[in-house]
Each structure stands twice: as structure tokens, then as C-alpha cells.
Amino acid sequence: MKSSTISAMIEKWWQFGLLTLVLLSAGCPTTTPDPDPDPDPDPDPTPTTAPFAFQLAQTLGSDSGPEAITTGLLNGDAFPDIVSANRTADSVMVWLSTGPNTFASPRRLLLNGIEPRGIAINDRYTDGSKDILVANAGSHNITRFRLDGNGDHTPAELTALADGATPVDLVTADFNQDGIGDVATANEAGNTVSILLGTADGPFGNPVNIPTSAGPRSICAGDFDGDGDVDLATANRNADSLTILQNDGAGGFATTFDEATGSVPRAVVAVDINGDNRVDLIATSPSNGAIALHQANSQGSFNAAVFLTVDGNPTRVAAGDYTDDGKIDLLAVLFASDTATIASGQLVCLAGDGAGTFAYHTDFQVAPGVVALIADDMNRDGNTDLVFSNNADDYVGTALGNGTGLATERRFPVGTRPRMAAPGDFNRDGNVDLLVANLDSNDVTFLPGDGTGGFSTGTSIPAGGSARAIATAHLNSDSNLDFVVTNLNESRVAVFLGQGNGSFQAPAYFDVRDESSTRSAEPRSVVLNDINGDTHVDLVVGNANRDSVAVLLGTGTGTFSAPVEYDVGNFPLSVKLADFDENGTLDMIVANGVDADGEGTQTSSLHLLLGAGDGTFDEEDSLGYLVNAAPGALMAQDFTRDGHIDVATSHSTLGSIQITNGRGDGRFGGGSVFAMGANPNSITTADFNKDGALDLVATNTNGHVSIRLYDRLLGFGSRTAIPIGAGTGPIEVLVHDLNGDGHLDLVTPNRTSDDVSVVLGAAP
């Protein structure tokens, strides 16, 4: 490593401080999202812009704490609209459809009640007009919004229930067969159901309270005894039972009987699961980790519960044909525990056989925080779709069935603690394959692609100690794709030359330390590029533990010269190459994080070294720029569309991405900071909506990735980050068209579940 004199060190840090002042005077990045200054002073002709979508889910904004959701036809077209009750905001959000699974901007309706917990759409009259009804647990009442045929509403009306009733759920139906919608609420604290019959002039009649067992948490309706009247059932959380209320035909109910069910039931739904034309009951039992099936019998009651054990604590369940085989399936949301307030984000699908038996089918991954879900055909294509609410990230989402079942995030097993993936056609069959570096199993998994976005069983390639970063290129004169992987605990890289059939020659190892010190390198990043203009691919490696970057020049035969190290500041976590001073040669920029061992300077910064074009870099004129806490990953692109290369850094502890603007002369000044979900790790760029501008995508530790679209007029500041469920513990994100359909797909190595997730892009 090059030594530095005291005067040189003083000079370097004087430059660092001076340039920091320049940054401040130019407008350092702030924590408030701002539009990019003059993002496109000479805009290109406006390209054709396409909406983007992923087969997994579409997310819509919401108010805080969306708890309950429902769908219905509110504005007179043929496509379902969505309504959510937002528990912490005391509001209702309405998304009116504008086409198949497309929606206008949401309408926010303020309640005159507190803590909305249940929501339903009521057919008020025979003319087809609707109400939105909301159960307000905190104020013991029901809010009604009357709607006209366009989905417009009148001011909120309020109907009081008994003090202390605490309505937490409600259901609507015509209980007395007069053609006017009625409502029933489950009152958790009051241990009752309130029946409110609709009247011809609009208001509900006075509530009639029917006793139930302790703690009714959920309510559903159906003709349980086959007499043509709508009956009711409640799931009683504190009594481990279902209460059945039979209708007398005139809208009168009595507590008929209780059915024992699983422990602490949270939800109950009514559906015919075995095709005998009798309505069965399905209850969630989170304390048992099970779903209880109560099949109706010919005596008008129900058989003893049959329990379906699931890997988690189910709280909500929705019945529908999710596998598109004409049979009822179950989709349940799983919490981490019975008392958890934020869901794991995992939805388990249990496929039905049409005779009342269910078996595990697949997991459907969405971002953590799902608390409610409902089945409907949102685009009227005949396939069952899913609508769900997420109260951790405050949004409502939809996921479309694709004709073969509900599209899912697919997972493919790899080694232990996968860290990074790289795409390429390594067996030359025309399909995209994946290589995945596995940190703890010391290998690389080769996953052959099948051309549809799926992968065959992986093959393990031993790769030395702690395989971390991986990159691909043609390193020798043949046409086979090769790869390089860093060995984190062995201070070296392993070079694998491809043989064109998915196999590789035995690795050649190259040390990434010069001879100045034996201190371990911990190479955490690797870049392959021709930095000296000789047409051979060179290696640039970030040595986190040595506070350096090593350059190894390629020979064109798959071998490399001895490393030359450059001081770049504390604990470099990521390195990128670009022509920052626009002189036609590649320069180097590094994101310096915080050393886990606490050694050395703990400054969070960017470090720039200008390249000479011959494979060397000017260490003595290197420049440092302060950035926000602990930058983990970086990208170098022209984000602001001004012709100059900018830098984006991820900041896990701040939940943000920071853009530092390039000036085109090897200097930086100004920028912006944008929220990017929980603990963003790796970042990359792609044009997701095909508008000609690069968008940002980052992994989040809570099981999803976030995409922030670039606006050609307002930059990144005008868009909110869009969360997309992806994996358990995603650590890196790869964007690639895996199946050749023209839509970008997402790949995340998941360090918690030791697999790779694939989320396919789709036409919206």
C-alpha cells in the first residue's frame, strides 16, 4: 500500500474539509425530499411511457393504519372498486375503478367515529344505490356514507350502538327479505351482535342486541340451516367458540347454539367447501397455528372442527379459487404470534380438492404488515384475484390471478447465506441462468434457467472461503462467459473460466493485497472493466478491512497482474467505475461505511480517485465527500439527466437513498435524499416504466424491495417508493428480463431463508 507522509495526509484532509464546505455552500443533500434542480434542461422528445407492474402485486396508497378492506361496484362500471377503513387515521379511503384493476386517485372520507375496525358495502335500495358502512370500535357506533351511482357520497351519518359495545366487524345482507340492505355488527366488548334493519327512507332502525359468547371478533352471514333466510355466525375470541344465530325469516335472531373451535379464533368466513350446497364455516385459530373447518351437516348444524395446521399463526382467511381449477382454496395471512401486531407478510395458500380437504400449495409473499385480505375478480377475466391491506407500510394492494393460479414470488434453494447473484447464459442454451455467491457455504450455486423465469435444481461450485461478491465477463479469448467471486476471509478472488456447458474450469486464485502488510483484506465488492484501454478485462476490488481498493490488470487469458492498492478511506463497502471528469477515462468512486470492529476513522463518505487511463489512479489528488450515515451500496449513473454522472448511496439506518450530483469535472455538489423503505441495503437502477429515465430499486430488510420511479419534470422527489414483496431477508437485488417477455424481473438472494426469490414483471 502506498505510504503517506504527514504533510500529504494533512493536505488530503484539508482538501476533504474544503470540499465539504463547497458542498455545504452548494447545497448539501438534506433529509427533506426535494425535486431535482433542473432535471432535464434539454429534454429529449417525450418517449412512449408505459405503466409498469409485477405479477406479484400492485400497491395503492392509503391513509395510516388500513385495517379492514372490501370491494364492490360503486361507480356504475363493471369493475370492482376498493374501500379501506384506516384505524389510526379515523378515515375511509375509496379507490374507484377506471378499468380492469386500474383506479382513480383515492378519495379520503373523514369519519365521525373513532377507531374504525370493520367495513362493508351495503345495497341500500332496489335501485342499486350503495352505502359504505364502517364499524367504529372506539366510539361504539356505525358511520354510513350514502353513495350515488357515480360513487359520490353525502356527508357521514352516524348510528349509535350500546355504550361499550365496541363493534369490530360488520356484515350486510337483507335479513327480513324486504329488498333493503340491513347490517349486523360483532361487538367484542359487549359480547353481543347488533342487528340494524334498513328502512325505506334510508336510516336504519334501532339496534337490537343479541347475546353471544365472550369476545365476538368476526362475523359472517349465510343460510346455515337451508331455510332460505340469512343466518349469522361469530368467532368468539375469548370463548374459543363460534356462535350461530338463526334468522326467523323476519330479521329476528336468537342465540341458537355454540360450536367449539380452535383457540382464540380471530376470523370466520362462510363458504361451501365440499360442493354439497350447504354453507360451511372456516375459522382461524392463531394460538393453535391452525385453520378450523366446520362442515355443515343435514341437521342444520356443523360437524366437529377439522384442523389444518399451518406454519404460523393465521389471523385472517379468504376463500376463493386461487389455483384456477374450479375448486375452493384458502388463503390465510400468518402472524409471527397470536399477540403480534404486524404480520410476517407471508400468505399461505391451501389448495382444496372440492371435497372439503385442503393441502399446502404455496406461500405468497407480500411485504410485512398484511392484516386483511379479500378475494375478487378485479379485472373481470374470470380468474380470482387478491386485495389486501398493509398497516405497516400503509397501503392497499392487489395481486392478479394469471389463468394458472395466483401469481407468486417463486423461490429456488441455493447455498447457505446467499449474498449476491449474477445473470448470464453460462450453458449457451439461450436462456438466462443465475450464479449465486453463498457466504457461509463457501460456494457458488449455478441455477440453469428454463426460459420462463424459473430455474432447475442448482449445482454447487466450491469457491473458497466466504464467497461474497460476484461479477461476470469474458475474461479470455473464447466465447464462454466467465465469473469472478471474492473470498471474504482469504484476501483473494477466485476466477472461474466457463466451458460453455454450465461447468467451469478449476478456479485460479489471485491475492488482492500488495506486500506492504499481511492484514486481511475482506474483499466486499468487485468490478470487472477495461480500465487501461488494452481491450482486456481488469479487476477492481474493494478491500474493506484494509481501507483500500486493489487494481489487478487483466492479461486477456483469464489471469491478472499483481495487485496495486490505493487508499480510499475507512471500510470501503462498494466501488463503482465511471468517467466522472468526462475526459474519456474511467475513474473510481467508493462508498466508505463504518468498520464493524470500530478501528480507524468512522467517517461516512464517498471517496473519488481519478483515473489516468493507463490502469492507474491519482491517489494523491483523491477527494472525499461527506454523506449520510453508513452508506452501504452505491450506483453511478446520470440520475438528473443533465449529462453528468451522479452517485446514489443507500443508508440503511436512515431508510433512505441519497443522490449526490456530479458536475462533470470530477467534483460533486448538491443533491437530495429520498425515503426508500425500511433499512435499504443494495441498490440498482433500471427503466421500469419505459420512459427513458432510470429508476431506483433497493432491497429492504423487512421482506420486500422498493422502487422509486423518476419523474422527467420533478425528479425522484415527486414519487413515493413502491414496495414489492420479495423473499425472507433479501440482501441484494438484480434486475433482468429472465423470460424474454420484454418486462424487467426482480431477483433477490435471501440470506435468511437460503434461497433466491424471483418476481416476474408483467404488463399492467
Side-chain angles (χ1 to χ4, degrees):
M1 183 182 294
K2 293 186 178 181
S3 60
S4 299
T5 63
I6 294 176
S7 60
M9 292 176 63
I10 293 173
E11 175 71 14
K12 181 186 296 186
W13 285 105
W14 180 86
Q15 289 179 339
F16 189 102
L18 178 61
L19 286 165
T20 300
L21 290 175
V22 171
L23 265 177
L24 289 171
S25 65
C28 280
T30 66
T31 56
T32 302
D34 294 316
D36 292 329
D38 193 18
D40 197 356
D42 186 18
D44 300 325
T46 302
T48 301
T49 301
F52 84 101
F54 284 90
Q55 288 184 3
L56 189 63
Q58 170 191 0
T59 57
L60 307 171
S62 182
D63 224 339
S64 61
E67 173 120 348
I69 53 173
T70 192
T71 58
L73 302 178
L74 300 179
N75 60 350
D77 66 9
F79 301 104
D81 311 298
I82 301 174
V83 185
S84 73
N86 307 302
R87 183 174 179 178
T88 57
D90 295 333
S91 69
V92 166
M93 298 292 280
V94 180
W95 290 268
L96 296 177
S97 59
T98 57
N101 199 48
T102 60
F103 303 91
S105 298
R107 303 180 183 185
R108 184 172 187 262
L109 312 182
L110 290 178
L111 294 171
N112 47 12
I114 299 172
E115 194 185 347
R117 298 281 295 278
I119 194 163
I121 294 173
N122 184 44
D123 291 320
R124 180 159 32 108
Y125 298 121
T126 55
D127 64 1
S129 55
K130 315 282 185 178
D131 293 330
I132 296 173
L133 302 175
V134 185
N136 303 310
S139 51
H140 316 296
N141 53 32
I142 299 172
T143 296
R144 168 196 278 182
F145 297 96
R146 300 191 187 191
L147 305 178
D148 62 19
N150 297 317
D152 295 321
H153 67 92
T154 59
E157 301 173 4
L158 203 63
T159 301
L161 303 178
D163 188 36
T166 316
V168 294
D169 196 13
L170 78 170
V171 66
T172 64
D174 183 3
F175 298 134
N176 57 358
Q177 302 186 48
D178 64 354
I180 300 172
D182 311 309
V183 63
T185 65
N187 306 319
E188 185 174 31
N191 300 327
T192 59
V193 165
S194 294
I195 307 296
L196 298 91
L197 299 180
T199 62
D201 60 356
F204 287 111
N206 293 327
V208 175
N209 296 324
I210 312 297
T212 66
S213 292
R217 186 66 176 268
S218 175
I219 189 169
C220 67
D223 182 7
F224 304 137
D225 53 12
D227 64 356
D229 303 323
V230 179
D231 308 309
L232 296 170
T234 62
N236 306 312
R237 189 172 187 272
N238 300 330
D240 299 341
S241 71
L242 305 178
T243 294
I244 311 301
L245 305 176
Q246 289 184 326
N247 192 340
D248 64 7
F253 293 84
T255 302
T256 308
F257 58 90
D258 267 17
E259 287 281 351
T261 192
S263 178
V264 195
R266 289 280 192 95
V268 60
V269 297
V271 65
D272 180 6
I273 62 175
N274 56 2
D276 64 356
N277 295 317
R278 298 190 183 100
V279 179
D280 309 304
L281 294 176
I282 304 165
T284 60
S285 179
S287 289
N288 292 126
I291 296 171
L293 304 180
H294 297 263
Q295 292 194 18
N297 56 41
S298 59
Q299 289 75 46
S301 60
F302 296 88
N303 298 330
V306 174
F307 293 97
L308 303 174
T309 301
V310 293
D311 187 17
N313 303 95
T315 58
R316 296 290 184 97
V317 64
D321 181 13
Y322 298 110
T323 57
D324 287 301
D325 62 357
K327 301 168 184 175
I328 292 295
D329 311 307
L330 304 178
L331 197 68
V333 59
L334 306 181
F335 276 59
S337 69
D338 175 42
T339 58
T341 57
I342 295 181
S344 69
Q346 180 180 353
L347 302 180
V348 61
C349 181
L350 301 170
D353 64 358
T357 301
F358 296 84
Y360 170 80
H361 177 65
T362 187
D363 290 339
F364 179 67
Q365 185 73 19
V366 294
V370 172
V371 293
L373 64 165
I374 190 170
D376 204 340
D377 182 0
M378 301 303 293
N379 56 358
R380 292 298 191 250
D381 65 352
N383 302 316
T384 299
D385 309 315
L386 175 69
V387 182
F388 60 91
S389 64
N390 182 308
N391 70 358
D393 292 319
D394 295 335
Y395 68 85
V396 165
T398 65
L400 298 182
N402 60 11
T404 60
L406 191 65
T408 62
E409 166 239 1
R410 293 184 287 177
R411 299 194 187 186
F412 303 92
V414 292
T416 306
R417 201 179 174 199
R419 192 59 179 78
M420 186 178 293
D425 184 6
F426 301 101
N427 56 9
R428 303 183 68 176
D429 65 352
N431 300 325
V432 179
D433 313 311
L434 287 179
L435 292 174
V436 184
N438 304 303
L439 192 66
D440 285 359
S441 54
N442 305 322
D443 64 353
V444 170
T445 301
F446 170 59
L447 293 170
D450 63 9
T452 69
F455 298 89
S456 303
T457 301
T459 302
S460 172
I461 304 172
S466 300
R468 189 184 193 276
I470 191 168
T472 65
H474 292 281
L475 301 178
N476 55 8
S477 58
D478 65 20
S479 58
N480 302 323
L481 196 57
D482 314 307
F483 75 91
V484 176
V485 63
T486 64
N487 294 147
L488 188 66
N489 63 1
E490 295 180 357
S491 301
R492 67 187 187 184
V493 296
V495 175
F496 291 81
L497 299 181
Q499 301 189 95
N501 59 359
S503 65
F504 299 85
Q505 296 179 21
Y509 295 101
F510 297 88
D511 202 320
V512 295
R513 299 174 295 184
D514 63 23
E515 298 178 354
S516 63
S517 169
T518 59
R519 183 178 180 180
S520 65
E522 290 191 15
R524 291 174 177 256
S525 59
V526 61
V527 178
L528 300 178
N529 209 323
D530 178 11
I531 60 176
N532 61 355
D534 65 356
T535 72
H536 304 321
V537 174
D538 308 308
L539 271 171
V540 178
V541 181
N543 293 330
N545 200 48
R546 290 170 66 87
D547 299 344
S548 72
V549 167
V551 174
L552 294 80
L553 298 180
T555 64
T557 64
T559 62
F560 296 87
S561 66
V564 176
E565 285 188 84
Y566 295 88
D567 294 322
V568 293
N570 181 72
F571 213 69
L573 291 176
S574 182
V575 58
K576 290 291 183 289
L577 301 175
D579 184 8
F580 294 103
D581 58 2
E582 300 176 13
N583 68 348
T585 64
L586 289 174
D587 310 307
M588 176 196 310
I589 196 160
V590 178
N592 293 321
V594 175
D595 190 342
D597 295 330
E599 299 181 12
T601 305
Q602 300 297 300
T603 302
S604 297
S605 66
L606 296 175
H607 207 90
L608 176 67
L609 283 80
L610 298 179
D614 58 359
T616 65
F617 294 85
D618 190 351
E619 185 181 42
E620 300 303 325
D621 193 30
S622 63
L623 303 172
Y625 296 87
L626 290 173
V627 292
N628 284 336
L634 63 82
M635 286 296 296
Q637 301 279 359
D638 180 10
F639 294 110
T640 57
R641 294 175 59 81
D642 62 356
H644 307 312
I645 300 295
D646 313 304
V647 175
T649 50
S650 66
H651 302 274
S652 178
T653 57
L654 302 178
S656 64
I657 298 294
Q658 182 174 355
I659 304 291
T660 304
N661 296 338
R663 301 190 325 202
D665 58 356
R667 303 294 188 269
F668 294 89
S672 302
V673 175
F674 309 101
M676 203 66 175
N679 306 112
N681 291 308
S682 77
I683 54 175
T684 191
T685 60
D687 183 6
F688 289 103
N689 57 352
K690 302 178 182 179
D691 66 349
L694 290 171
D695 310 307
L696 283 168
V697 58
T699 58
N700 302 108
T701 55
N702 60 355
H704 64 275
V705 300
S706 294
I707 293 176
R708 184 177 279 273
L709 298 177
Y710 184 84
D711 186 286
R712 289 171 60 85
L713 295 178
L714 300 175
F716 289 107
S718 66
R719 306 285 184 94
T720 58
I722 301 167
I724 298 173
T728 304
I731 187 62
E732 299 281 340
V733 60
L734 169 68
V735 180
H736 201 84
D737 183 2
L738 299 176
N739 54 3
D741 65 354
H743 303 298
L744 293 175
D745 310 311
L746 302 177
V747 177
T748 63
N750 304 316
R751 59 181 172 181
T752 303
S753 52
D754 295 336
D755 52 23
V756 169
S757 291
V758 173
V759 182
L760 296 179

